[in-house]
Amino acid sequence: MMCLVFTIAVFCLTLSGLCWMVGWKSGASQLARIAFALVIGSAVVSWFVDSLRSFFAQSEVRAVAAGLAVLLFLAVAVFVVGWFFKRRSVEASPVRPTIRRRTQLAELGESTPQTQPAPPRSASTDDLQLFGGSP
């Protein structure tokens, strides 16, 4: 496994040098970063795996670790499924009104309210007319 990672890192560094010679500096720097990340990441992962192997060589620790690993896997699986469904529900387009509702909305948009002519002013001195009441 480590040999494959180092082979990919060397390939990325080779491509980075070719990109640098051609003049594509941003691509060269990105490929070089990927190569260095692969080498450093594989060294850290290798050290971590070796440490875990030596720690879990004991039989009591192995049983507890297996239970914790199963619980951790289930928790991550539930989290990923929940995140996936939440993301899909957010990306869903808003619900459009039904055809019956759309026709009602279209009819409301077409009809404009008619303005009623103002009632003629009365010349009488009726109290209701003076204070804006109806006759």
Side-chain angles (χ1 to χ4, degrees):
M1 181 66 182
M2 299 302 281
C3 183
L4 176 66
V5 171
F6 288 127
T7 303
I8 293 171
V10 168
F11 182 70
C12 286
L13 278 176
T14 305
L15 285 177
S16 174
L18 290 174
C19 288
W20 184 266
M21 286 190 307
V22 171
W24 188 33
K25 294 179 183 179
S26 63
S29 65
Q30 288 176 350
L31 284 170
R33 285 186 200 124
I34 290 171
F36 286 123
L38 281 172
V39 171
I40 293 172
S42 67
V44 169
V45 168
S46 174
W47 172 80
F48 186 68
V49 167
D50 288 340
S51 298
L52 285 178
R53 279 186 187 155
S54 67
F55 180 71
F56 291 123
Q58 303 166 4
S59 63
E60 297 86 23
V61 176
R62 209 177 308 157
V64 173
L68 288 176
V70 168
L71 287 176
L72 180 66
F73 176 74
L74 289 174
V76 168
V78 167
F79 175 74
V80 168
V81 168
W83 175 76
F84 179 72
F85 281 124
K86 180 181 176 187
R87 185 171 179 173
R88 287 199 56 174
S89 68
V90 169
E91 290 176 356
S93 62
V95 178
R96 294 178 56 190
T98 61
I99 293 174
R100 182 176 295 151
R101 179 74 178 136
R102 277 186 268 169
T103 56
Q104 291 173 357
L105 290 173
E107 290 172 358
L108 287 175
E110 291 174 358
S111 65
T112 56
Q114 299 291 334
T115 57
Q116 299 280 337
R121 286 228 169 240
S122 174
S124 70
T125 58
D126 188 2
D127 288 338
L128 291 176
Q129 289 293 329
L130 288 175
F131 298 105
S134 60

